Amino acid sequence: MGPKDNAAGVPTYWGKSGKTLQNMITLVATIDFLLFGYDQGVMSGIISGDPFKQDFPQVDGDETWQGFVVSIYAVGCFFGALFILTFGDKLGRRKAIFLGAITMIIGVVIQISSVPPNHGATAQFIIGRFITGMGNGINTSTIPIWQAECSHSHNRGKLICIEGGNVAIGTLIAYWLDYGASYGPHKFVWRFPIAFQIVFAVAVLILMIDLPESPRWLLSHDRTEEAKEILAALNGETRTDPALNTQLGNLRAAVVASGQLDNKTKVSDLFTGGPTQHFRRMILGFSSQMFQQLSGCNAVIYYFPILFQTAIGTSQQTALLLGGVNQIVYALFATTSWFAVERVGRRKLYLIGTVGQCLSMVLTFGALIPGTAAAAKGAAVGLFTYIAFFGATWLPLPWLYPAEINPLKTRAKATASSTVSNWIWNFFIVMITPVLVANTGTHGWGTYLFFAVLNAIFFPIIYFFYPETAGRSLEEIDVIFAKGYTENISYVKAAKELPFLHEDEVLNKAREYGISVETEEVAEKPMVRSSSSDGSEV
């Protein structure tokens, strides 16, 4: 379906244009990341239940099998992200989102149609989880870019943090659905929560039927007239608006300058240095996703009920209930990033979250050492505080940081590489956690010591190497890296020293540092910068 003009001659999708159309794009991103979170949480309440263990006896008492059944999903996500890294620029954003949603539905059907108990059913379930993961990897690598390319820069951080925050809300839905389903008949207990994923995927498919392609992607394939229509719809303007042709010309010039026309950006471009610092910027995004997983988040999300059953001695229903409460805390704190990310800044939130997570893990492992149910309740407190800090900081930031720290020329490929990083380390952590818990002291206290040490290691890396990007246009971020390289100073210092710039000042600084700034705003209007309460400009 294409755009239809309203009475004022403005192109519309689903009868909407301007801010309302951008809100619909945000709605699709929200639903997809709800599905992402749901997928991450759904197995936690299923895998420890008697119905699942009876149908798939391989996981009963075998930590390696438990880890494999849960983590094979992350392997699928890894291959989905790898697919987008390789073919995403050729396929386009809309087609990739359709492909991802359909793939997820196919994977879910394969899972719920298995007829256990036998080895064939277990293999079918594992294959289905792998295919579902592929679909999720495709969409989580595509949707943040699609949304960013259809959005204004001044609310870029908030929009992507809303995506990340919805991962927590999706996990919350999964936990409580698992809890409710645990009271149902045997076949219902695990099939219904898994089947419910289809609801989110179908919603994405229906909405995408009449939502636009990314105008930048169309321009990179020399489809100028289609891009012009979509820009007019996103701006809420007619096709003849004088500002539209100027904006279109700037965008096309940016696409040509960045080497994106006809997909001229090569994988080798990710590994270049100089004033553009493509490789360093890719590593910053890649490492942020790696640190998110190595912080221990999925060890808490996936195995929270199991810890309560083994360490505190609760029933499965009580463990699921407490897990659901934990997810309420998770979701509530995740929403705080929506308001803090621009005011507090990415860098400060990273550092605050790292300290909070580290101390929470210290409390958890310390409380597990005595091996008593009473002391283990302290570990429960540690897991609650951990998930609060994680939800408010490390949950959304690694989805935002790669999308803005990388320049236009390498953004699609570099962002996909960071998503690949997420799923590699997700698989690693989810696979080893049950084995660690079973073999590292009473109730696995060594597991949480391991994560405490890792979080402590992250702090100096972030402090010395992660520059602040809050309140900056994407072009200013290019200048920050050019300044750091040219003046041979740290990029953190360059970000602190560089004043907030207007567009003409950005161009002057770019010329000073010998780079070509790629202006790429979709519908940027003149903005007045004002000081926030922490002294930064917004």
Side-chain angles (χ1 to χ4, degrees):
M1 297 174 67
K4 296 178 182 178
D5 290 4
N6 62 18
V10 176
T12 66
Y13 293 84
W14 288 113
K16 309 297 180 184
S17 63
K19 185 176 180 180
T20 307
L21 176 58
Q22 292 194 27
N23 287 340
M24 290 195 71
I25 291 170
T26 300
L27 177 62
V28 171
T30 296
I31 294 171
D32 188 75
F33 272 71
L34 282 173
L35 173 55
F36 173 22
Y38 185 91
D39 280 344
Q40 284 207 307
V42 71
M43 284 302 294
S44 62
I46 291 173
I47 198 163
S48 60
D50 290 335
F52 190 84
K53 289 190 288 188
Q54 290 167 16
D55 286 350
F56 303 98
Q58 292 84 3
V59 306
D60 190 7
D62 190 322
E63 294 81 9
T64 303
W65 265 101
Q66 280 186 4
F68 182 71
V69 169
V70 173
S71 63
I72 193 65
Y73 170 79
V75 178
C77 291
F78 164 76
F79 280 99
L82 205 61
F83 175 85
I84 292 300
L85 178 62
T86 308
F87 301 107
D89 284 333
K90 295 179 182 178
L91 191 61
R93 316 305 187 219
R94 286 185 81 249
K95 287 181 180 178
I97 294 168
F98 274 113
L99 177 63
I102 291 169
T103 302
M104 292 190 81
I105 291 171
I106 292 171
V108 170
V109 171
I110 291 172
Q111 289 175 75
I112 62 176
S113 62
S114 59
V115 184
N118 57 70
H119 281 85
T122 304
Q124 181 177 333
F125 185 85
I126 289 170
I127 291 168
R129 266 188 71 74
F130 174 83
I131 293 173
T132 302
M134 282 191 66
N136 185 62
I138 289 170
N139 277 356
T140 54
S141 297
T142 305
I143 284 182
I145 298 173
W146 175 66
Q147 185 184 17
E149 290 175 342
C150 295
S151 302
H152 300 283
S153 70
H154 60 271
N155 61 357
R156 179 183 67 237
K158 181 178 180 180
L159 288 177
I160 298 180
C161 278
I162 288 174
E163 287 180 7
N166 277 292
V167 174
I169 297 172
T171 308
L172 169 68
I173 295 169
Y175 259 82
W176 283 104
L177 206 63
D178 282 352
Y179 179 69
S182 69
Y183 290 96
H186 181 103
K187 293 181 179 179
F188 181 87
V189 170
W190 63 267
R191 278 190 174 89
F192 178 75
I194 290 174
F196 194 77
Q197 299 169 73
I198 293 176
V199 173
F200 299 103
V202 168
V204 169
L205 286 174
I206 291 172
L207 286 170
M208 285 302 300
I209 289 172
D210 196 28
L211 284 177
E213 179 57 88
S214 159
R216 287 187 186 83
W217 183 84
L218 289 169
L219 286 171
S220 72
H221 287 71
D222 209 20
R223 293 161 62 175
T224 307
E225 286 305 311
E226 293 174 72
K228 184 176 181 179
E229 281 189 333
I230 291 169
L231 284 172
L234 290 168
N235 294 351
E237 300 168 343
T238 64
R239 295 176 180 82
T240 57
D241 192 293
L244 183 63
N245 286 328
T246 302
Q247 181 191 5
L248 189 69
N250 288 340
L251 270 174
R252 181 170 172 78
V255 167
V256 172
S258 68
Q260 283 194 314
L261 191 63
D262 297 324
N263 295 305
K264 292 181 180 178
T265 302
K266 305 179 184 67
V267 173
S268 59
D269 291 327
L270 295 173
F271 300 94
T272 56
T276 57
Q277 289 293 297
H278 290 165
F279 180 64
R280 173 181 287 270
R281 294 162 80 170
M282 178 187 70
I283 290 297
L284 287 171
F286 188 96
S287 65
S288 69
Q289 291 277 23
M290 178 179 72
F291 292 169
Q292 183 197 62
Q293 294 303 314
L294 291 179
S295 73
C297 59
N298 279 310
V300 176
I301 292 169
Y302 281 121
Y303 299 111
F304 187 93
I306 294 176
L307 176 73
F308 269 80
Q309 286 177 258
T310 56
I312 303 178
T314 66
S315 66
Q316 189 206 1
Q317 266 68 31
T318 302
L320 286 175
L321 180 61
L322 290 169
V325 173
N326 191 41
Q327 293 310 306
I328 292 174
V329 173
Y330 184 29
L332 287 174
F333 276 85
T335 61
T336 64
S337 67
W338 305 355
F339 312 102
V341 68
E342 298 295 351
R343 186 166 292 274
V344 178
R346 285 63 156 154
R347 181 178 155 82
K348 286 182 182 177
L349 284 179
Y350 269 134
L351 294 171
I352 291 167
T354 302
V355 171
Q357 290 172 181
C358 179
L359 294 178
S360 297
M361 286 296 185
V362 169
L363 173 59
T364 301
F365 89 76
L368 288 175
I369 291 174
T372 64
K377 292 176 182 178
V381 174
L383 294 182
F384 273 100
T385 57
Y386 173 90
I387 209 67
F389 278 106
F390 176 78
T393 58
W394 276 95
L395 169 64
L397 288 175
W399 297 102
L400 167 61
Y401 207 62
E404 64 182 5
I405 203 72
N406 289 292
L408 177 62
K409 181 180 179 70
T410 60
R411 183 169 303 128
K413 285 183 168 60
T415 302
S417 75
S418 70
T419 309
V420 167
S421 167
N422 179 284
W423 296 117
I424 290 172
W425 294 105
N426 183 302
F427 169 76
F428 173 73
I429 292 300
V430 175
M431 187 71 193
I432 69 168
T433 295
V435 180
L436 283 175
V437 170
N439 295 282
T440 55
T442 307
H443 302 308
W445 63 262
T447 306
Y448 303 97
L449 172 60
F450 170 69
F451 290 126
V453 171
L454 286 177
N455 278 280
I457 292 170
F458 299 159
F459 189 92
I461 296 173
I462 295 162
Y463 185 84
F464 289 110
F465 296 106
Y466 278 47
E468 182 57 75
T469 56
R472 300 285 191 179
S473 70
L474 298 174
E475 296 77 27
E476 284 178 276
I477 296 170
D478 289 339
V479 173
I480 287 170
F481 283 91
K483 174 182 172 67
Y485 176 81
T486 304
E487 298 180 7
N488 196 27
I489 61 175
S490 82
Y491 299 93
V492 171
K493 184 178 181 181
K496 289 180 179 178
E497 290 184 353
L498 186 73
F500 286 89
L501 306 173
H502 293 286
E503 186 172 338
D504 57 339
E505 295 173 318
V506 171
L507 295 173
N508 289 335
K509 282 290 183 182
R511 283 192 287 268
E512 178 184 336
Y513 293 123
I515 61 170
S516 174
V517 169
E518 300 149 5
T519 303
E520 52 163 345
E521 301 305 329
V522 166
E524 191 64 38
K525 306 297 180 186
M527 293 175 59
V528 178
R529 296 184 185 271
S530 59
S531 295
S532 66
S533 61
D534 65 351
S536 64
E537 290 180 296
V538 295

